[in-house]
Amino acid sequence: MSYDYDKVDVPADGEPVQVVDEENDELDIPETPIVPIIHGDGIGKDVGPAAQKVLSAAAEATGRDIAWMRVYAGESARERYDGENLPDDTVNAIDEFRVAIKGPLTTPVGAGFRSLNVALRQTLDFYANVRPTYYLDGVPSPMKKPEDMNMVTFRENTEDVYAGIEWEQGTEDVEKVRNFVEEEMGFDETMHDGPIGIGIKPITEKGSKRLVRKAIDYAIEHDRDKVTLVHKGNIMKFTEGQFSEWGMEVAEEEYPDDEVFAAPDSLWETQDDIDIPEGAVMVEERLADAMLQWMQLRTDEFDVLAMPNLNGDYLSDAAGAQIGGLGIAPGANFGDARVLAEPVHGSAPKRAGQDQANPTALILSGRLMFDYMGWKDAAELVRDAVEETISSGTVTYDLERNLEDAEKVSTTEFADTVIENIHDLA
Ligand code: NAD
């Protein structure tokens, strides 16, 4: 597939990433891949260019290059594309070139403006939101042993109560749904009288299984020991409970036992007595409320986590806080043989355009993108150079205010120091 682009150019010095096997996430990455990049709104204008040059430096230091293709969304798109927020050029480039990265986009509060982030994820079916949470030496954390955390959360990205199937109080539609639920489905004593808002929580076999499969495949590829399915199936039996049943089915039916081992009754029983085949990834389940507790009390027991959309939203922010918060929390959206890296944080309008924001989250999102591309050495180099920078006390304002004896630097200065460290470490 090759699109016609209207207002952006495909870089002549790069080559497109090719798909070898879509279902198995196999890509053929050329030495100079074309990688679309959206710098983003607000602080995206600061952290976007900073992260771009750090990632280029890491690629070059490991004998490669990146042919960046600047594409636009949000404010920068409205200026160039007659008020359009998400032009076809941008969606098509991310579709065609398979590996892309974006900064934050502002979602104004109010009706009539769909989240661009959600639109991008849905249009291109990026169905897994992936967030690694690991500790970087020198980052201020509220925990006594933040270094115990080294988890990767896989959050389902397309369904659950986030699917947007809901009806506003006072409308004819919401009353129609109420009548159907009460009269036809027999829940006539469940809802209070008077105004009501109703939403639907769809959890499908397809959505659940492909998410859990991605998490298990990731665990196998990255030598992780365990995948924990996190749900509230004791209460929401036919949605969250079913998610976990389908997830366990994937573990039991799609992999040999000595590769993936579905732990029996792991919700209620201790695993101490279970005989796990040597080297196998264990798949277990935990209730979401208990999990938020275990994550703090037994941090080092968790590895890869897979869960429905809402649980994932809460849990990944809570996990991020344990290792230093938004300024450093990376993320990415995975589809089948496609990745769109993006930090967890938003556009922080108050700090926009002041060369102050922390580019670490976007830089480390790029690390995740490199990892997906199979550029493992470049990925490790980025991580080590960021860690070296922070642990030597060179930090942006957000970390400096929680540290003693650190030097506060600008976004640009931070990125330049990371690049120096890339050169020193390479
Ligand atoms: P936010 O993440 O922009 O900011 C929350 C707090 O964290 C602020 O105090 C901010 O200054 C700080 N912060 C965030 N990133 C930082 C960084 N890199 N360095 C230093 N400090 C940082 O969240 P918000 O204020 O709730 O949202 C602002 C806008 O961003 C909204 O329009 C929202 O919809 C959007 N948003 C976009 C994304 C995305 O693009 N994926 C994600 C979340 C929010």
Side-chain angles (χ1 to χ4, degrees):
M1 152 199 19
S2 184
Y3 294 101
D4 280 335
Y5 293 92
D6 180 18
K7 295 193 170 147
V8 288
D9 293 319
V10 176
D13 54 344
E15 286 175 79
V17 167
Q18 305 284 349
V19 181
V20 180
D21 179 350
E22 182 153 303
E23 243 175 53
N24 290 313
D25 279 337
E26 252 186 82
L27 293 172
D28 180 17
I29 309 282
E31 227 159 67
T32 307
I34 296 167
V35 177
I37 180 166
I38 300 171
H39 285 168
D41 292 329
I43 56 167
K45 294 191 201 91
D46 306 297
V47 298
Q52 183 174 332
K53 66 182 180 181
V54 168
L55 298 174
S56 283
E60 280 160 29
T62 51
R64 310 170 177 108
D65 205 355
I66 299 171
W68 295 106
M69 180 174 177
R70 239 340 254 291
V71 290
Y72 303 90
E75 190 188 329
S76 63
R78 290 196 291 279
E79 287 160 5
R80 283 177 180 74
Y81 290 85
D82 259 349
E84 254 188 277
N85 282 305
L86 187 58
D88 285 348
D89 274 356
T90 303
V91 177
N92 291 346
I94 295 171
D95 186 20
E96 178 172 3
F97 297 111
R98 296 274 163 176
V99 169
I101 182 164
K102 67 174 277 290
L105 296 171
T106 299
T107 307
V109 179
F113 197 103
R114 194 165 160 235
S115 161
L116 296 177
N117 301 303
V118 175
L120 257 177
R121 289 176 203 157
Q122 284 178 349
T123 312
L124 297 174
D125 205 16
F126 286 110
Y127 58 82
N129 183 260
V130 181
R131 295 184 185 177
T133 37
Y134 51 88
Y135 182 66
L136 290 173
D137 197 24
V139 173
S141 155
M143 307 306 285
K144 282 192 181 144
K145 290 187 0 192
E147 64 280 5
D148 278 358
M149 181 167 277
N150 185 2
M151 301 187 335
V152 185
T153 54
F154 279 70
R155 164 188 171 193
E156 204 288 326
N157 230 353
T158 64
E159 47 186 37
D160 200 354
V161 280
Y162 281 33
I165 311 174
E166 50 180 21
W167 297 274
E168 194 178 358
Q169 69 87 22
T171 59
E172 225 175 90
D173 283 351
V174 83
E175 290 307 327
K176 246 195 237 170
V177 178
R178 186 213 296 259
N179 283 344
F180 172 75
V181 173
E182 282 185 346
E183 283 160 31
E184 292 199 37
M185 303 310 291
F187 290 93
D188 50 351
E189 280 170 20
T190 312
M191 295 184 270
H192 297 296
D193 291 338
I196 187 170
I198 300 180
I200 298 245
K201 180 180 174 77
I203 299 279
T204 65
E205 180 177 14
K206 176 179 170 176
S208 305
K209 284 193 166 177
R210 67 181 182 171
L211 188 266
V212 173
R213 201 176 289 127
K214 267 268 184 288
I216 293 176
D217 288 345
Y218 181 95
I220 294 171
E221 200 196 314
H222 291 82
D223 267 335
R224 298 279 190 155
D225 295 334
K226 191 154 88 166
V227 175
T228 306
L229 309 181
V230 183
H231 62 88
K232 248 334 245 185
N234 56 333
I235 307 293
M236 293 174 272
K237 296 185 198 308
F238 304 137
T239 50
E240 302 249 335
Q242 189 61 58
F243 166 85
S244 129
E245 274 185 39
W246 279 322
M248 280 296 177
E249 264 174 45
V250 171
E252 275 161 17
E253 294 168 10
E254 298 186 15
Y255 302 86
D257 260 7
D258 56 358
E259 194 175 26
V260 174
F261 180 78
D265 298 323
S266 55
L267 208 47
W268 310 116
E269 292 186 11
T270 157
Q271 283 134 19
D272 296 345
D273 305 329
I274 303 176
D275 212 3
I276 301 160
E278 174 98 15
V281 173
M282 179 170 86
V283 180
E284 60 161 17
E285 44 180 335
R286 285 276 173 273
L287 294 180
D289 45 350
M291 185 61 216
L292 284 164
Q293 173 189 236
W294 296 137
M295 217 167 68
Q296 294 186 45
L297 299 178
R298 298 193 195 163
T299 312
D300 61 350
E301 286 184 14
F302 298 98
D303 212 334
V304 175
L305 310 177
M307 65 205 86
N309 210 333
L310 177 65
N311 297 343
D313 198 5
Y314 294 163
L315 190 139
S316 54
D317 269 27
Q322 287 186 222
I323 46 93
L326 281 179
I328 64 154
N333 302 289
F334 289 2
D336 285 331
R338 57 172 75 250
V339 63
L340 175 63
E342 65 170 329
V344 174
H345 66 72
S347 56
K350 268 201 290 190
R351 301 276 175 179
Q354 296 165 44
D355 200 20
Q356 289 180 349
N358 192 346
T360 302
L362 188 56
I363 294 170
L364 294 178
S365 302
R367 175 202 179 206
L368 197 51
M369 180 180 88
F370 283 167
D371 184 65
Y372 194 93
M373 294 160 79
W375 290 9
K376 309 280 179 197
D377 49 350
E380 285 324 290
L381 189 55
V382 169
R383 181 199 186 284
D384 292 348
V386 167
E387 186 164 53
E388 177 61 33
T389 308
I390 295 174
S391 63
S392 69
T394 305
V395 292
T396 44
Y397 81 92
D398 53 318
L399 299 190
E400 191 265 345
R401 63 187 168 194
N402 295 317
L403 287 170
E404 281 165 26
D405 302 328
E407 185 198 356
K408 179 164 80 177
V409 297
S410 68
T411 311
T412 312
E413 288 163 337
F414 181 86
D416 289 343
T417 312
V418 176
I419 292 170
E420 275 168 32
N421 284 325
I422 284 177
H423 294 147
D424 288 350
L425 292 166

